Amino acid sequence: QVQLVESGGGLVQAGGSLRLSCAASGGTFRHYAMGWFRQAPGKEREIVAAINWGGATTYYVSSVKGRFTISRDNSENTLYLQMNSLKPEDTAVYYCAASIATMASKLQDFGSWGQGTQVTVSS
């Protein structure tokens, strides 16, 4: 029911920053928990960060804590992922996802997905 479109990916050097955006349409954005996932070639898709309906509760995978920040602007139906101090191991396709739950952090709990945006970090 909700359509998600990611943007902001690209090629950056290690130590650099990127901000990913996810524009939502076709649903009531504020009634979805949102998450960012990533998938590198040959690896499983994994949770990166998640945020609840109101934005007060967040979750981060341990490998990105202190470097990435998830946020949302419900008035603009947009989800963000600010990525700082990027490392080559952050290279992956990053996906925006929505869950009908109030808060979610498990892949199986997210039912709507964007098309993905490539993030490549060079050393």
Side-chain angles (χ1 to χ4, degrees):
Q1 293 188 19
V2 61
Q3 290 75 238
L4 306 172
V5 180
E6 303 96 334
S7 62
L11 174 64
V12 298
Q13 292 185 323
S17 298
L18 283 174
R19 188 177 75 155
L20 305 183
S21 298
C22 172
S25 62
T28 305
F29 179 72
R30 66 182 181 276
H31 288 173
Y32 291 88
M34 301 295 296
W36 287 101
F37 292 77
R38 66 186 180 187
Q39 186 167 22
K43 296 185 178 180
E44 299 289 334
R45 189 171 300 187
E46 65 173 353
I47 182 72
V48 177
I51 190 166
N52 75 327
W53 282 11
T57 302
T58 57
Y59 166 84
Y60 298 94
V61 67
S62 60
S63 60
V64 308
K65 288 181 179 178
R67 299 190 297 121
F68 291 10
T69 302
I70 188 171
S71 62
R72 65 193 297 165
D73 187 338
N74 287 344
S75 69
E76 296 186 0
N77 296 336
T78 304
L79 177 75
Y80 302 98
L81 184 67
Q82 178 67 46
M83 304 186 293
N84 298 326
S85 301
L86 283 162
K87 304 175 180 180
E89 51 262 47
D90 296 318
T91 296
V93 177
Y94 282 70
Y95 297 90
C96 173
S99 172
I100 61 173
T102 304
M103 177 61 176
S105 61
K106 303 292 186 181
L107 186 149
Q108 65 187 45
D109 293 329
F110 291 84
S112 298
W113 297 83
Q115 83 289 344
T117 185
Q118 178 70 48
V119 172
T120 303
V121 184
S122 62
S123 60

